[in-house]
Amino acid sequence: MKRLFIPLFIASSALLSAQKTEDQKAIKSMCGCYEIDFNFAETFSYPKDAASYKPSKVKHENALEWAELIEDEPGKLSIQHLLIVGNDMIVKHWRQDWLFENTKLYDYNGFNDWKFVSLPADQVKGQWTQKVYEVDDKPRYEGSATWITADGRTFWENTTNAPLPRREYTQRKDYNITRRFNDVEILKNGWSHNQDNDKIIRSENGSNYLLAQEKGFNRYTKVDDSKCVAAQKWWKENKDFWKKVRTKWDIEFAKNKDLKLKNDVDGKPLFMHLETLKKDASQQEINSVIDRFIVAR
């Protein structure tokens, strides 16, 4: 009897392909209508002046959110999140892109700038990069890791640098980097985002001081899509505008260079400037607005 011989690289390729399919299924499962619980609490602090230090307050919030798959391509999935506030008022929320075996990332540096990082291909073999964007589609944070399915769990974990979240930067100016440990886990009735974050003071010379730490746990519980009809309708009416916004940002990211942005122009942040444009604004009009926020390299 002849022994069947399968080259190792073929077997490995088949396993990687099967795993990629399972990963895509996990990522897509984050789409739909969700009731969300947001929970954050500062756990430890290490201020140099303990007497005057005021820790962040414990935060508990609830929300209803629609997450729509807006790009579904080989090696790339993009999910847009939309908040439903009060009587069907829609707020364009964050966006997450997932890229397979991506080697190009931006690392937040603490001074409203992102450092371009190029990783070797063998370092990201089988991994997915999660790229998270602000409400106006400017960068927030990103990191690469492997989706793991083991012991009845499906999860993805990564540690990366990010700007302060809105709940912090509107209240505090005493640190400039959130070092995020992100744990995304798929659950039977939704998914969770578990966080263990460091609040870091980074100096201009690159040294870091750990000011405090916090725990975050966000639970996304899936509900019937009918609860998010208003968000679905809003996206159909506005998706062309935001596609143009993404197109402009994609051009900037493709330059593979460090990126520095202005916090505001004429006293207003980028999302407020974009809100003044009409739904059918041209690509040139949108480009001009965003260009005002990019500091010349």
Side-chain angles (χ1 to χ4, degrees):
M1 179 182 295
K2 291 184 178 180
R3 180 176 294 177
L4 181 63
F5 175 72
I6 302 176
L8 181 60
F9 77 90
I10 294 179
S12 298
S13 178
L15 287 173
L16 185 61
S17 178
Q19 183 61 54
K20 181 181 178 182
T21 299
E22 288 302 308
D23 296 345
Q24 290 171 320
K25 181 180 177 182
I27 295 167
K28 289 181 180 181
S29 73
M30 288 189 278
C31 297
C33 188
Y34 291 93
E35 291 178 347
I36 314 170
D37 297 312
F38 296 102
N39 304 280
F40 292 92
E42 192 165 292
T43 52
F44 304 102
S45 60
Y46 319 94
K48 294 179 179 179
D49 183 4
S52 64
Y53 181 76
K54 294 183 179 180
S56 298
K57 294 181 180 179
V58 173
K59 184 180 182 68
H60 299 294
E61 284 192 357
N62 305 106
L64 181 65
E65 186 165 271
W66 173 251
E68 177 150 337
L69 185 66
I70 60 173
E71 287 189 60
D72 184 359
E73 302 174 1
K76 181 181 181 182
L77 300 169
S78 182
I79 303 173
Q80 178 63 59
H81 294 252
L82 302 168
L83 276 175
I84 303 173
V85 182
N87 295 321
D88 294 341
M89 183 180 83
I90 308 304
V91 177
K92 181 181 176 295
H93 207 194
W94 63 295
R95 185 179 107 238
Q96 54 175 328
D97 288 356
W98 291 87
L99 278 64
F100 186 64
E101 296 184 344
N102 169 63
T103 60
K104 300 175 181 179
L105 293 92
Y106 281 87
D107 180 41
Y108 186 66
N109 189 46
F111 302 95
N112 215 30
D113 66 321
W114 287 257
K115 301 297 183 183
F116 175 73
V117 178
S118 181
L119 300 176
D122 59 350
Q123 185 175 325
V124 298
K125 189 72 172 177
Q127 293 187 353
W128 288 83
T129 296
Q130 183 199 42
K131 292 176 174 275
V132 173
Y133 303 87
E134 300 277 11
V135 297
D136 44 24
D137 289 321
K138 65 174 178 279
R140 183 160 179 74
Y141 64 85
E142 48 197 76
S144 181
T146 304
W147 275 92
I148 303 295
T149 300
D151 299 329
R153 298 178 60 207
T154 297
F155 60 95
W156 179 95
E157 295 180 343
N158 175 263
T159 302
T160 190
N161 294 321
L164 276 62
R166 177 180 292 272
R167 60 188 159 79
E168 287 282 274
Y169 76 70
T170 57
Q171 305 294 323
R172 305 179 59 160
K173 305 294 182 184
D174 56 345
Y175 72 102
N176 56 352
I177 288 181
T178 302
R179 180 74 169 165
R180 306 176 62 115
F181 168 75
N182 297 305
D183 176 348
V184 177
E185 181 169 355
I186 306 304
L187 307 172
K188 289 184 179 179
N189 62 340
W191 60 283
S192 66
H193 182 194
N194 188 30
Q195 302 168 59
D196 288 289
N197 302 329
D198 292 340
K199 300 180 179 183
I200 292 174
I201 303 170
R202 176 168 291 179
S203 66
E204 292 283 358
N205 65 14
S207 63
N208 296 323
Y209 180 82
L210 178 60
L211 177 66
Q213 294 173 297
E214 72 171 0
K215 181 68 180 180
F217 186 76
N218 303 334
R219 177 67 180 261
Y220 292 72
T221 302
K222 186 165 282 190
V223 296
D224 194 273
D225 285 357
S226 62
K227 289 190 174 184
C228 292
V229 169
Q232 298 167 44
K233 180 176 182 292
W234 186 93
W235 184 249
K236 287 180 181 178
E237 296 171 351
N238 292 273
K239 64 180 181 179
D240 291 341
F241 176 91
W242 290 105
K243 183 176 181 179
K244 294 173 186 175
V245 173
R246 297 196 307 275
T247 294
K248 169 58 177 173
W249 281 121
D250 285 345
I251 291 171
E252 296 302 320
F253 299 147
K255 294 176 181 178
N256 296 337
K257 295 181 179 180
D258 296 348
L259 179 65
K260 186 172 181 62
L261 302 176
K262 299 175 184 177
N263 282 319
D264 56 72
V265 171
D266 298 333
K268 296 189 296 185
L270 176 57
F271 76 88
M272 293 183 69
H273 285 269
L274 291 173
E275 286 177 347
T276 65
L277 299 178
K278 296 180 180 179
K279 292 180 183 178
D280 60 351
S282 68
Q283 185 71 62
Q284 184 177 358
E285 288 177 293
I286 291 172
N287 291 358
S288 296
V289 170
I290 296 175
D291 278 334
R292 298 182 67 194
F293 282 81
I294 298 174
V295 178
R297 295 172 174 87

